[in-house]
Amino acid sequence: MDNEELEQDKAKDDALEKALEQETENETPSEDETFVKPDYESEIIKIIRSTTSPKVTREKLEDYHANDIADVLEKLTVVERKKLYNILNMDMLSDVFECIDDVSPYLEEMDIRKAVEIISSLEADTAVAALRGLDKVRRSVIIDLMDQESKKDIMLIASFDDDEIGSRMTTNCIVIRENLTVKEAMRSLVKQAAENDNISKIYVADESNTFCGAIDLKDLIIARQDSALEDLIVTSYPYVYGHELIDDCIEKLKDYSEDSIPVLNNNNKLLGVITSQSIVDLVDDEMGEDYAKFAGLTAEEDLKEPLKESLKKRLPWLLVLLALGMVVSSVVGLFEQVVSQLTLIMCFQSLILDMAGNVGTQSLAVTIRVLMDENLSGADKLRLVTKEMKVGFCNGSLLGVMTFLVLGIYIALFKGYAVGTALLISGCVGISLLVAIIISSLVGTLVPLLFHKINIDPAMASGPLITTVNDLVAVVTYYGLAWLLL
């Protein structure tokens, strides 16, 4: 009997183990299986183009993120977009429009009353940007039809210039008075949260709206009702002034990992906040502008920009570079006698010029990155120049020796020159490369430092400019040495 029971138990264990293995195999994808990313765009378009009722369509679209819906707008026809405007409720529609860089084309095609509702529901900074993209007549009509509260917020944001931090703030924040109890503060928070969704930080102001500090939502929630509110206020909380230039305070904003930072006027009155998302957008815009300047453009371009505007951004730099290029060509002409007697040296001119340009661009990129620290001292700048000179000397020495040996063997074996002459030519190229790399490192560092000193954006010392200057230096060095040595 005992043996039978043991056999039955073993059979049960084997069956259970087999069942678990089978279940694991079913859950674990095989090697042939591939995970296909959902095609949200096609799904959303299919839902919009379906003939289901508005209620059912809206309920289906609620399952998708607002950003996914925003991405398909340009794929729809005007008629389909107008249908979508009517199907979505105002909260969903405003969330979708918050995900779009330029909403003005869509506001132009919708009913004026709907456009007013949309503008009123958007964050104030987004609303201002949208209104600026509309024609004057439609913009004026929309502003006239808006409620006083929304109009007041928009006029506040619009009072700041585009390059001032106040133009990127929002009035969507919770503000409580400093003389409240914890219970009264919670009541004020609940009341304001219905219209403001940035509630992770609560800002405190006195009766005259002067900024006093901030309270973390968690600290307020767990505080005892009889606790003093002043014990919860962080009085050292960071802030910026609305009229500060974005370029001047972007580093300060990046240093703090806060969800939002208050924006004050010159009398320390609380105006609004700049959110972490706006800070990310600012940093992204700043990087885009620096990249454009680094490429020799006066500003960023986009696919929809008119030809005339693109020409205006590119042509000024190209004219400057053309003039400098003519100077470089003229310098080469001064060494016409050297070139005519030893045409082989022309073969290695591009090598010297390319390496000088590459090294200069590297030094420029490092210098601009270092100059982002506004607290950089004179000693730090001197260390930067010294370091770049050392790096240039080491790189130039290694590359110069390699060039001397490789080109010497190449010229002697494949060009039929005597060993002594071949080594003289390769030595000229190697020494020129060393000198050009050292000077290029120096130029790529000193030029942006000089621009920064005279309050010009160092990114204006663009790659093409540095490269052309280094071409001039490299040409003089190379042909000068060739004239002396050969």
Side-chain angles (χ1 to χ4, degrees):
M1 186 68 178
D2 291 339
N3 290 335
E4 290 181 3
E5 289 180 354
L6 288 172
E7 289 178 2
Q8 289 177 357
D9 290 341
K10 184 178 180 182
K12 289 179 181 179
D13 291 340
D14 291 342
L16 179 60
E17 185 176 346
K18 186 176 181 180
L20 289 172
E21 289 177 356
Q22 184 67 36
E23 185 177 347
T24 303
E25 289 177 3
N26 292 336
E27 291 179 353
T28 306
S30 64
E31 293 181 1
D32 295 332
E33 283 187 82
T34 55
F35 292 96
V36 180
K37 184 180 178 181
D39 186 2
Y40 293 133
E41 182 177 297
S42 298
E43 292 175 9
I44 294 171
I45 292 176
K46 185 178 179 181
I47 293 171
I48 294 171
R49 290 174 178 172
S50 68
T51 57
T52 55
S53 66
K55 183 176 183 296
V56 173
T57 303
R58 181 173 64 252
E59 289 173 350
K60 289 182 178 180
L61 291 175
E62 285 175 351
D63 294 333
Y64 295 90
H65 194 279
N67 190 64
D68 294 323
I69 300 176
D71 288 340
V72 307
L73 283 186
E74 61 181 14
K75 307 290 195 310
L76 302 174
T77 65
V78 176
V79 174
E80 289 169 342
R81 283 198 294 268
K82 288 183 177 181
K83 173 186 174 182
L84 183 65
Y85 302 151
N86 291 325
I87 288 175
L88 298 182
N89 59 42
M90 194 49 57
D91 288 339
M92 291 180 66
L93 204 51
S94 60
D95 288 343
V96 169
F97 274 44
E98 286 285 356
C99 300
I100 302 173
D101 291 332
D102 183 13
V103 302
S104 53
Y106 304 112
L107 293 174
E108 291 278 6
E109 66 189 19
M110 67 173 57
D111 176 74
I112 191 71
R113 297 285 177 181
K114 178 71 73 172
V116 171
E117 287 185 77
I118 289 292
I119 290 291
S120 300
S121 63
L122 293 174
E123 296 284 355
D125 56 334
T126 308
V128 171
L131 286 170
R132 284 174 176 165
L134 299 175
D135 66 79
K136 293 182 179 179
V137 176
R138 192 172 180 83
R139 179 168 64 237
S140 178
V141 172
I142 289 177
I143 292 175
D144 288 341
L145 294 174
M146 290 175 65
D147 62 89
Q148 289 301 315
E149 188 66 28
S150 299
K151 191 183 299 185
K152 178 183 175 183
D153 292 341
I154 286 176
M155 296 306 292
L156 172 63
I157 305 297
S159 66
F160 294 97
D161 293 335
D162 286 343
D163 58 351
E164 294 178 335
I165 199 68
S167 65
R168 301 300 185 94
M169 73 177 182
T170 177
T171 54
N172 185 340
C173 61
I174 305 294
V175 182
I176 61 175
R177 299 302 172 204
E178 64 172 345
N179 56 356
L180 300 179
T181 64
V182 169
K183 184 177 181 179
E184 290 171 335
M186 282 298 299
R187 189 181 298 119
S188 178
L189 167 63
V190 172
K191 182 180 179 181
Q192 295 182 60
E195 297 181 356
N196 302 284
D197 50 17
N198 293 324
I199 64 173
S200 59
K201 275 288 184 291
I202 299 121
Y203 297 100
V204 185
D206 62 15
E207 294 298 328
S208 63
N209 204 39
T210 300
F211 177 64
C212 300
I215 300 174
D216 190 275
L217 176 61
K218 178 183 175 182
D219 293 337
L220 183 61
I221 291 174
I222 64 177
R224 295 180 179 275
Q225 291 191 6
D226 56 352
S227 300
L229 190 65
E230 61 184 16
D231 295 337
L232 306 177
I233 301 174
V234 179
T235 56
S236 59
Y237 197 81
Y239 58 88
V240 293
Y241 288 100
H243 287 290
E244 283 188 77
L245 296 178
I246 293 173
D247 291 345
D248 293 341
C249 59
I250 190 69
E251 287 302 313
K252 185 196 301 184
L253 295 174
K254 284 165 57 180
D255 289 340
Y256 298 104
S257 56
E258 301 292 349
D259 293 330
S260 58
I261 293 179
V263 180
L264 315 181
N265 67 9
N266 292 335
N267 296 318
N268 297 311
K269 309 293 185 185
L270 182 60
L271 299 177
V273 298
I274 180 164
T275 63
S276 56
Q277 181 58 50
S278 294
I279 294 172
V280 170
D281 292 341
L282 287 174
V283 174
D284 184 56
D285 291 345
E286 189 76 9
M287 291 176 65
E289 289 175 6
D290 284 347
Y291 184 81
K293 292 172 183 175
F294 195 74
L297 303 174
T298 56
E300 289 184 86
E301 295 184 22
D302 58 46
L303 292 173
K304 299 178 182 179
E305 187 171 69
L307 175 63
K308 183 179 179 181
E309 292 299 317
S310 296
L311 290 175
K312 285 170 62 178
K313 291 176 180 178
R314 301 188 191 194
L315 194 57
W317 267 114
L318 293 177
L319 290 173
V320 172
L321 297 174
L322 176 63
L324 289 173
M326 289 180 176
V327 173
V328 174
S329 300
S330 300
V331 170
V332 174
L334 296 176
F335 297 97
E336 183 179 355
Q337 185 177 0
V338 177
V339 175
S340 63
Q341 293 183 12
L342 191 61
T343 55
L344 181 64
I345 64 172
M346 285 291 293
C347 298
F348 309 114
Q349 173 183 311
S350 61
L351 185 150
I352 306 293
L353 298 184
D354 288 347
M355 291 305 299
N358 293 337
V359 170
T361 302
Q362 287 180 341
S363 296
L364 170 63
V366 171
T367 305
I368 289 176
R369 179 68 186 86
V370 172
L371 286 175
M372 291 178 70
D373 182 3
E374 294 296 334
N375 298 320
L376 206 65
S377 64
D380 292 330
K381 294 175 182 177
L382 181 60
R383 276 199 298 273
L384 173 63
V385 174
T386 305
K387 177 203 166 189
E388 287 302 309
M389 289 287 289
K390 289 179 180 177
V391 171
F393 177 77
C394 292
N395 285 336
S397 298
L398 290 171
L399 294 172
V401 171
M402 289 174 59
T403 301
F404 169 68
L405 295 175
V406 173
L407 285 186
I409 295 172
Y410 170 76
I411 295 170
L413 293 179
F414 298 100
K415 293 297 180 180
Y417 284 80
V419 174
T421 305
L423 291 177
L424 272 176
I425 296 173
S426 65
C428 176
V429 176
I431 295 172
S432 299
L433 193 60
L434 168 62
V435 174
I437 287 177
I438 293 174
I439 295 178
S440 295
S441 299
L442 185 63
V443 171
T445 307
L446 289 180
V447 170
L449 285 174
L450 174 63
F451 277 36
H452 186 262
K453 182 69 175 178
I454 58 179
N455 296 320
I456 296 177
D457 189 344
M460 290 296 291
S462 66
L465 175 61
I466 292 291
T467 300
T468 307
V469 172
N470 287 336
D471 283 351
L472 181 60
V473 173
V475 163
V476 172
T477 303
Y478 182 43
Y479 286 108
L481 283 173
W483 178 69
L484 289 173
L485 299 177
L486 305 177

